[in-house]
Every structure is written in C-alpha cells, then in structure tokens.
Amino acid sequence: MKTVFKRTPTLKDCPTHYCPGCGHGIAHRLIAETIDELGIRGRTIGIAPVGCAVLAYDYLDVDMIEVAHGRAPAVATGMKRTNPDKIIFSYQGDGDLAAIGTAEIIHAAHRAEQLTVIFINNAVFGMTGGQMAPTTLLGQVTATTPKGRNAAGEGYPLQVSEILALLPGAIYVERCALSGAAGVRKTKKAIKHAFELQVEAAEGLSLVEVLSPCPTYWRMTPAKAMEWIEKEMVKVFPLGRLKG
Amino acid sequence: MAGKIIIETERCKGCGLCVVVCPKGCIEISTESNKNGFFPAQPVPSVVEGAGNTDCTGCAICGIICPEAIIEVLRDDANDASIKIAARPGKKTVQRHSCESRSLRK
C-alpha cells in the first residue's frame, strides 16, 4: 500500500488551538500544501491576522509576522516593495479585513500591490466571543445581535470581494467555501492560482475569500455548520470567480 | 482491501466531519474518549483488520476535510481495479470504484 494523502511538511506537526470543526485548520493546510507544491517555502513570508488565526505562525513552517489589527496589507506592501523576490501573503479574517482593515485592503488593491490575500469569512468575530461582524448575515443571531441582525439598525452584510473586484488593481478575486470535499478542492485551486500569480509577478492583488465554518459561535454541530454555509451563506456571498 | 486510513486519535477533536463525508461509512465516532476528553473518530474495525466489509477505497475525502490534518490515507496500488487514464497524463491511475461520477464502473 502506498500513502496517497498525508500531512504536508510546511504544516507543523502539532495540535492546533482551534475549536472542533473550525475551518481555519483546513485553510492552513491548503496554504501549506500550495507552498510545498510550488516549492516556495524558503522565500515565502506570511502575515498572521488578529483574530482566531493569530497563532497561524505556530502552525505554518514559513517566515511569519504578526501585525496590528487589519494592517496586514499595509505591512505587506512595505515587505513586497523592499523584497520583490519574496512571496508575501496575508491571512486575514473578516473582522481583520472587512471591519478594521477595510481601508488598508481597498487601498492595497487600489495601488495594485503584488500581494496574495487569503480572506477567511466566517460571519462572526470568533476570537472575542462571537459578536456581530460586518459580514454577519441578516437575521443571524450573535452575541451582540440577540434578536438577529436587523438592516435598519446594523446595516447589511459587507461584500468586500465584490467591492475589490471593481478595482483595476485587483487582478484575481474569487470566493470559495470550505463546505464539503468538493468545496475544499475548489478552494485549494483558487489559493494555488492566487499564489501562482504572485510567483509569476503578475501586477496586482490576488484575493481568495473563503467561507469558513465557525460551529462554536454559530451554535451548531460542525456538520450542520457546513450545511449552513451551503444553504444560507452562499445566498449572500455567491461563490465563483469574481475577477481574473 | 483497496484503502486504509490511519487516524491519530489522540489529536482528534471529534468534530465528526470525516464521518459525515465518508461515502462508504467507514469512519465512526469512538465511544471512548482520548486524553483531551474528546470522543475521536476512528476507522470502523473491519477497515483496520482487513477482513469483512472493507469498503474503504482510499479516496482521501476524509483527509481533505479533516481540520486537524491527522488522517493519513493509504491505497493499494497493486489493485487490478486501477486503470490508466491516457487523457490526463498527470493523473496516472485511478481506482475504478473510487470514481465519483461512476463513469468508470462497469
């Protein structure tokens, strides 16, 4: 018998701190596999977000840096401009990228920075206790919207990928979901393409939005959370290649 | 026996995603907890022993979905059921019974 699937070397062989069924573990593995397949482990620098994935540098065996909340695209800009031969990627959650870091990501795309951004959208602030995020769905119950998000009071879910796809500086924007094996495979393809664009020095920002489950703060079992992505989340955040 | 999986049960958090996605129902949640207090996923006994109902095809869907990346998948490459696909040079062989579209089945 031969091994057809096992842990990739870039993903450190240690347990994660994530809750059972969390999508971050899958996303980390996809990034690690992509780095190994492209053979760029020695020249990749990652940026960890503030949020649940703040300890991503403990799990990915590449050079990583931790930056202030939402400022990853700004720091990445400096890193890429001073080290053009390095592969810079930022890993950001929806609280990091869509809330406090909206200005940074929009202007990084607007300046056509050669970065790869992995945007994990789980519709809540996971680390701080499941509060409403800009990406929270209408009617979704969170710690700060106990009666469900109401458009009159809290506004509508923010579709960052659609906004970025309008900018000429963003060359590749795709939205995928980690629901089911097919979704994970598609996400892998998208992440790999985003990295390949930077390896080939394509001029512009590539962003992959990943709809990821948060079973703990959605108050569901992991299997139900995957179903919820497929049934509810994709209605507000339609999957597919938005640009590129 | 076409496939086999090895789960590091001490690191499993028992989320059960592999149980849900396994097309052959070859994974179950254990009734005994591990050291961390989780009830881990484990291959159904027949898959481990290589006798009886060995439905595991080594499709690796459980490994693809596992958030902890603790599932290793092995496949019997000497199996006669594998076929070469000439149209896709990068993809050398495929197990007939692991074809999801069923177009390779007789």
Side-chain angles (χ1 to χ4, degrees), chain A residues 2 4-5 16 18 29, chain B residues 11 13 64 68-69 73 75:
Chain A
K2 64 172 182 183
V4 289
F5 185 90
T16 65
Y18 300 120
R29 182 172 53 78
Chain B
R11 266 161 59 179
K13 289 175 181 168
I64 285 169
E68 291 293 309
V73 184
R75 195 185 295 158

Side-chain angles (χ1 to χ4, degrees), chain A residues 94-180:
Chain A
D94 50 351
D96 197 72
L97 186 139
I100 194 165
T102 320
E104 274 75 13
I105 188 65
I106 286 183
H107 280 280
H110 158 71
R111 295 189 306 265
E113 301 293 349
Q114 292 177 25
L115 310 171
T116 300
V117 180
I118 313 296
F119 168 34
I120 308 291
N121 180 356
N122 60 9
V124 285
F125 283 103
M127 185 172 97
T128 49
Q131 291 86 355
M132 189 198 84
T135 46
T136 298
L137 271 53
L138 287 180
Q140 189 183 338
V141 175
T142 66
T144 44
T145 54
K147 292 177 183 171
R149 184 176 187 170
N150 180 8
E154 290 97 32
Y156 294 89
L158 183 61
Q159 287 142 323
V160 185
S161 292
E162 272 85 350
I163 299 172
L164 294 174
L166 292 173
L167 302 174
I171 48 169
Y172 173 62
V173 181
E174 177 152 0
R175 186 184 282 124
C176 317
L178 291 177
S179 55

Side-chain angles (χ1 to χ4, degrees), chain A residues 1-7 11 13-18 20-22 25-26 29 178 180-181 184-185 222-223 226, chain B residues 2-4 11 13 15 17 20 38 58-61 63-77 100:
Chain A
M1 295 198 102
K2 64 172 182 183
T3 303
V4 289
F5 185 90
K6 65 172 185 181
R7 201 179 182 93
L11 194 65
D13 199 8
C14 61
T16 65
H17 71 283
Y18 300 120
C22 176
I26 307 176
R29 182 172 53 78
L178 291 177
V184 175
R185 282 207 179 99
M226 291 290 188
Chain B
K4 184 185 174 184
R11 266 161 59 179
K13 289 175 181 168
C15 68
L17 288 176
V20 177
F38 294 114
C59 66
I61 288 179
I64 285 169
I65 204 80
C66 179
E68 291 293 309
I70 50 166
I71 303 181
E72 188 179 343
V73 184
L74 298 110
R75 195 185 295 158
D76 199 355
D77 54 345
E100 283 174 35

